[in-house]
mmCIF file with all atom_site columns, all heavy atoms in Angstrom:
data_model
loop_
_atom_site.group_PDB
_atom_site.id
_atom_site.type_symbol
_atom_site.label_atom_id
_atom_site.label_alt_id
_atom_site.label_comp_id
_atom_site.label_asym_id
_atom_site.label_entity_id
_atom_site.label_seq_id
_atom_site.pdbx_PDB_ins_code
_atom_site.Cartn_x
_atom_site.Cartn_y
_atom_site.Cartn_z
_atom_site.occupancy
_atom_site.B_iso_or_equiv
_atom_site.pdbx_formal_charge
_atom_site.auth_seq_id
_atom_site.auth_comp_id
_atom_site.auth_asym_id
_atom_site.auth_atom_id
_atom_site.pdbx_PDB_model_num
ATOM 1   N N   . ASN V 1 54 ? -65.973 26.607 -23.792 1.00 96.00 ? 102 ASN V N   1
ATOM 2   C CA  . ASN V 1 54 ? -67.039 26.795 -24.794 1.00 96.00 ? 102 ASN V CA  1
ATOM 3   C C   . ASN V 1 54 ? -67.503 28.201 -24.870 1.00 96.00 ? 102 ASN V C   1
ATOM 4   O O   . ASN V 1 54 ? -67.627 28.706 -26.082 1.00 96.00 ? 102 ASN V O   1
ATOM 5   C CB  . ASN V 1 54 ? -68.098 25.944 -24.479 1.00 96.00 ? 102 ASN V CB  1
ATOM 6   C CG  . ASN V 1 54 ? -67.839 24.319 -24.803 1.00 96.00 ? 102 ASN V CG  1
ATOM 7   O OD1 . ASN V 1 54 ? -66.783 24.103 -25.494 1.00 96.00 ? 102 ASN V OD1 1
ATOM 8   N ND2 . ASN V 1 54 ? -68.593 23.545 -24.192 1.00 96.00 ? 102 ASN V ND2 1
ATOM 9   N N   . GLU V 1 55 ? -67.647 28.832 -23.835 1.00 96.00 ? 103 GLU V N   1
ATOM 10  C CA  . GLU V 1 55 ? -68.281 30.253 -23.765 1.00 96.00 ? 103 GLU V CA  1
ATOM 11  C C   . GLU V 1 55 ? -67.089 31.121 -24.358 1.00 96.00 ? 103 GLU V C   1
ATOM 12  O O   . GLU V 1 55 ? -67.476 31.986 -25.156 1.00 96.00 ? 103 GLU V O   1
ATOM 13  C CB  . GLU V 1 55 ? -68.712 30.610 -22.357 1.00 96.00 ? 103 GLU V CB  1
ATOM 14  C CG  . GLU V 1 55 ? -69.446 31.977 -22.253 1.00 96.00 ? 103 GLU V CG  1
ATOM 15  C CD  . GLU V 1 55 ? -70.718 31.989 -23.030 1.00 96.00 ? 103 GLU V CD  1
ATOM 16  O OE1 . GLU V 1 55 ? -71.341 30.895 -23.212 1.00 96.00 ? 103 GLU V OE1 1
ATOM 17  O OE2 . GLU V 1 55 ? -71.243 33.089 -23.502 1.00 96.00 ? 103 GLU V OE2 1
ATOM 18  N N   . LEU V 1 56 ? -65.862 30.959 -23.909 1.00 96.00 ? 104 LEU V N   1
ATOM 19  C CA  . LEU V 1 56 ? -64.965 31.819 -24.279 1.00 96.00 ? 104 LEU V CA  1
ATOM 20  C C   . LEU V 1 56 ? -64.704 31.682 -25.890 1.00 96.00 ? 104 LEU V C   1
ATOM 21  O O   . LEU V 1 56 ? -64.534 32.803 -26.501 1.00 96.00 ? 104 LEU V O   1
ATOM 22  C CB  . LEU V 1 56 ? -63.584 31.573 -23.653 1.00 96.00 ? 104 LEU V CB  1
ATOM 23  C CG  . LEU V 1 56 ? -63.388 31.839 -22.196 1.00 96.00 ? 104 LEU V CG  1
ATOM 24  C CD1 . LEU V 1 56 ? -62.239 31.377 -21.599 1.00 96.00 ? 104 LEU V CD1 1
ATOM 25  C CD2 . LEU V 1 56 ? -63.540 33.505 -21.900 1.00 96.00 ? 104 LEU V CD2 1
ATOM 26  N N   . ILE V 1 57 ? -64.767 30.578 -26.407 1.00 96.00 ? 105 ILE V N   1
ATOM 27  C CA  . ILE V 1 57 ? -64.571 30.410 -27.866 1.00 96.00 ? 105 ILE V CA  1
ATOM 28  C C   . ILE V 1 57 ? -65.735 30.990 -28.567 1.00 96.00 ? 105 ILE V C   1
ATOM 29  O O   . ILE V 1 57 ? -65.573 31.580 -29.675 1.00 96.00 ? 105 ILE V O   1
ATOM 30  C CB  . ILE V 1 57 ? -64.450 28.897 -28.187 1.00 96.00 ? 105 ILE V CB  1
ATOM 31  C CG1 . ILE V 1 57 ? -63.151 28.340 -27.615 1.00 96.00 ? 105 ILE V CG1 1
ATOM 32  C CG2 . ILE V 1 57 ? -64.551 28.701 -29.725 1.00 96.00 ? 105 ILE V CG2 1
ATOM 33  C CD1 . ILE V 1 57 ? -63.073 26.713 -27.783 1.00 96.00 ? 105 ILE V CD1 1
ATOM 34  N N   . SER V 1 58 ? -66.836 31.032 -27.957 1.00 95.00 ? 106 SER V N   1
ATOM 35  C CA  . SER V 1 58 ? -68.062 31.738 -28.650 1.00 95.00 ? 106 SER V CA  1
ATOM 36  C C   . SER V 1 58 ? -67.845 33.269 -28.792 1.00 95.00 ? 106 SER V C   1
ATOM 37  O O   . SER V 1 58 ? -68.491 33.867 -29.655 1.00 95.00 ? 106 SER V O   1
ATOM 38  C CB  . SER V 1 58 ? -69.394 31.358 -27.971 1.00 95.00 ? 106 SER V CB  1
ATOM 39  O OG  . SER V 1 58 ? -69.363 32.155 -26.661 1.00 95.00 ? 106 SER V OG  1
ATOM 40  N N   . TRP V 1 59 ? -67.029 33.808 -27.978 1.00 95.00 ? 107 TRP V N   1
ATOM 41  C CA  . TRP V 1 59 ? -66.660 35.197 -27.934 1.00 95.00 ? 107 TRP V CA  1
ATOM 42  C C   . TRP V 1 59 ? -65.687 35.478 -29.129 1.00 95.00 ? 107 TRP V C   1
ATOM 43  O O   . TRP V 1 59 ? -65.628 36.801 -29.456 1.00 95.00 ? 107 TRP V O   1
ATOM 44  C CB  . TRP V 1 59 ? -66.076 35.703 -26.601 1.00 95.00 ? 107 TRP V CB  1
ATOM 45  C CG  . TRP V 1 59 ? -67.048 35.611 -25.447 1.00 95.00 ? 107 TRP V CG  1
ATOM 46  C CD1 . TRP V 1 59 ? -68.317 35.049 -25.467 1.00 95.00 ? 107 TRP V CD1 1
ATOM 47  C CD2 . TRP V 1 59 ? -66.725 35.918 -24.082 1.00 95.00 ? 107 TRP V CD2 1
ATOM 48  N NE1 . TRP V 1 59 ? -68.870 35.055 -24.160 1.00 95.00 ? 107 TRP V NE1 1
ATOM 49  C CE2 . TRP V 1 59 ? -67.899 35.468 -23.412 1.00 95.00 ? 107 TRP V CE2 1
ATOM 50  C CE3 . TRP V 1 59 ? -65.667 36.343 -23.483 1.00 95.00 ? 107 TRP V CE3 1
ATOM 51  C CZ2 . TRP V 1 59 ? -68.014 35.688 -21.962 1.00 95.00 ? 107 TRP V CZ2 1
ATOM 52  C CZ3 . TRP V 1 59 ? -65.718 36.551 -22.077 1.00 95.00 ? 107 TRP V CZ3 1
ATOM 53  C CH2 . TRP V 1 59 ? -66.848 36.158 -21.278 1.00 95.00 ? 107 TRP V CH2 1
ATOM 54  N N   . LEU V 1 60 ? -64.803 34.625 -29.413 1.00 96.00 ? 108 LEU V N   1
ATOM 55  C CA  . LEU V 1 60 ? -63.645 34.862 -30.223 1.00 96.00 ? 108 LEU V CA  1
ATOM 56  C C   . LEU V 1 60 ? -63.906 34.270 -31.422 1.00 96.00 ? 108 LEU V C   1
ATOM 57  O O   . LEU V 1 60 ? -64.824 33.751 -31.896 1.00 96.00 ? 108 LEU V O   1
ATOM 58  C CB  . LEU V 1 60 ? -62.490 34.277 -29.452 1.00 96.00 ? 108 LEU V CB  1
ATOM 59  C CG  . LEU V 1 60 ? -62.201 34.735 -28.107 1.00 96.00 ? 108 LEU V CG  1
ATOM 60  C CD1 . LEU V 1 60 ? -61.148 33.739 -27.477 1.00 96.00 ? 108 LEU V CD1 1
ATOM 61  C CD2 . LEU V 1 60 ? -61.797 36.165 -28.003 1.00 96.00 ? 108 LEU V CD2 1
ATOM 62  N N   . ASP V 1 61 ? -62.789 34.582 -32.499 1.00 95.00 ? 109 ASP V N   1
ATOM 63  C CA  . ASP V 1 61 ? -62.817 34.120 -33.849 1.00 95.00 ? 109 ASP V CA  1
ATOM 64  C C   . ASP V 1 61 ? -62.123 32.667 -33.664 1.00 95.00 ? 109 ASP V C   1
ATOM 65  O O   . ASP V 1 61 ? -61.085 32.527 -33.461 1.00 95.00 ? 109 ASP V O   1
ATOM 66  C CB  . ASP V 1 61 ? -61.960 34.831 -34.712 1.00 95.00 ? 109 ASP V CB  1
ATOM 67  C CG  . ASP V 1 61 ? -62.014 34.574 -36.205 1.00 95.00 ? 109 ASP V CG  1
ATOM 68  O OD1 . ASP V 1 61 ? -62.262 33.390 -36.435 1.00 95.00 ? 109 ASP V OD1 1
ATOM 69  O OD2 . ASP V 1 61 ? -61.600 35.302 -37.030 1.00 95.00 ? 109 ASP V OD2 1
ATOM 70  N N   . PRO V 1 62 ? -63.070 31.652 -33.994 1.00 94.00 ? 110 PRO V N   1
ATOM 71  C CA  . PRO V 1 62 ? -62.613 30.233 -33.785 1.00 94.00 ? 110 PRO V CA  1
ATOM 72  C C   . PRO V 1 62 ? -61.410 29.804 -34.732 1.00 94.00 ? 110 PRO V C   1
ATOM 73  O O   . PRO V 1 62 ? -60.742 28.863 -34.576 1.00 94.00 ? 110 PRO V O   1
ATOM 74  C CB  . PRO V 1 62 ? -63.721 29.410 -33.931 1.00 94.00 ? 110 PRO V CB  1
ATOM 75  C CG  . PRO V 1 62 ? -64.710 30.189 -34.709 1.00 94.00 ? 110 PRO V CG  1
ATOM 76  C CD  . PRO V 1 62 ? -64.304 31.648 -34.448 1.00 94.00 ? 110 PRO V CD  1
ATOM 77  N N   . LYS V 1 63 ? -61.352 30.668 -35.856 1.00 95.00 ? 111 LYS V N   1
ATOM 78  C CA  . LYS V 1 63 ? -60.266 30.269 -36.872 1.00 95.00 ? 111 LYS V CA  1
ATOM 79  C C   . LYS V 1 63 ? -58.826 30.230 -36.210 1.00 95.00 ? 111 LYS V C   1
ATOM 80  O O   . LYS V 1 63 ? -57.945 29.554 -36.758 1.00 95.00 ? 111 LYS V O   1
ATOM 81  C CB  . LYS V 1 63 ? -60.346 31.123 -38.024 1.00 95.00 ? 111 LYS V CB  1
ATOM 82  C CG  . LYS V 1 63 ? -61.569 31.029 -38.931 1.00 95.00 ? 111 LYS V CG  1
ATOM 83  C CD  . LYS V 1 63 ? -61.395 31.703 -40.210 1.00 95.00 ? 111 LYS V CD  1
ATOM 84  C CE  . LYS V 1 63 ? -60.992 33.250 -40.157 1.00 95.00 ? 111 LYS V CE  1
ATOM 85  N NZ  . LYS V 1 63 ? -62.103 34.022 -39.447 1.00 95.00 ? 111 LYS V NZ  1
ATOM 86  N N   . HIS V 1 64 ? -58.600 31.098 -35.222 1.00 95.00 ? 112 HIS V N   1
ATOM 87  C CA  . HIS V 1 64 ? -57.317 31.217 -34.705 1.00 95.00 ? 112 HIS V CA  1
ATOM 88  C C   . HIS V 1 64 ? -57.097 30.651 -33.139 1.00 95.00 ? 112 HIS V C   1
ATOM 89  O O   . HIS V 1 64 ? -56.412 31.022 -32.411 1.00 95.00 ? 112 HIS V O   1
ATOM 90  C CB  . HIS V 1 64 ? -57.070 32.714 -34.664 1.00 95.00 ? 112 HIS V CB  1
ATOM 91  C CG  . HIS V 1 64 ? -57.301 33.494 -35.978 1.00 95.00 ? 112 HIS V CG  1
ATOM 92  N ND1 . HIS V 1 64 ? -56.703 33.062 -37.219 1.00 95.00 ? 112 HIS V ND1 1
ATOM 93  C CD2 . HIS V 1 64 ? -58.037 34.573 -36.136 1.00 95.00 ? 112 HIS V CD2 1
ATOM 94  C CE1 . HIS V 1 64 ? -57.236 33.869 -38.057 1.00 95.00 ? 112 HIS V CE1 1
ATOM 95  N NE2 . HIS V 1 64 ? -57.993 34.764 -37.481 1.00 95.00 ? 112 HIS V NE2 1
ATOM 96  N N   . ILE V 1 65 ? -57.934 29.660 -33.020 1.00 97.00 ? 113 ILE V N   1
ATOM 97  C CA  . ILE V 1 65 ? -57.968 29.012 -31.675 1.00 97.00 ? 113 ILE V CA  1
ATOM 98  C C   . ILE V 1 65 ? -57.957 27.485 -31.849 1.00 97.00 ? 113 ILE V C   1
ATOM 99  O O   . ILE V 1 65 ? -58.369 26.822 -32.796 1.00 97.00 ? 113 ILE V O   1
ATOM 100 C CB  . ILE V 1 65 ? -59.401 29.263 -31.042 1.00 97.00 ? 113 ILE V CB  1
ATOM 101 C CG1 . ILE V 1 65 ? -59.420 30.800 -30.630 1.00 97.00 ? 113 ILE V CG1 1
ATOM 102 C CG2 . ILE V 1 65 ? -59.475 28.372 -29.706 1.00 97.00 ? 113 ILE V CG2 1
ATOM 103 C CD1 . ILE V 1 65 ? -60.645 31.093 -29.938 1.00 97.00 ? 113 ILE V CD1 1
ATOM 104 N N   . GLY V 1 66 ? -57.214 26.862 -30.973 1.00 97.00 ? 114 GLY V N   1
ATOM 105 C CA  . GLY V 1 66 ? -57.078 25.378 -30.854 1.00 97.00 ? 114 GLY V CA  1
ATOM 106 C C   . GLY V 1 66 ? -57.494 24.992 -29.538 1.00 97.00 ? 114 GLY V C   1
ATOM 107 O O   . GLY V 1 66 ? -57.285 25.684 -28.588 1.00 97.00 ? 114 GLY V O   1
#
Side-chain angles (χ1 to χ4, degrees):
N102 288 342
E103 188 66 25
L104 288 173
I105 291 175
S106 73
W107 299 356
L108 303 170
D109 186 340
K111 295 194 301 293
H112 312 306
I113 293 177

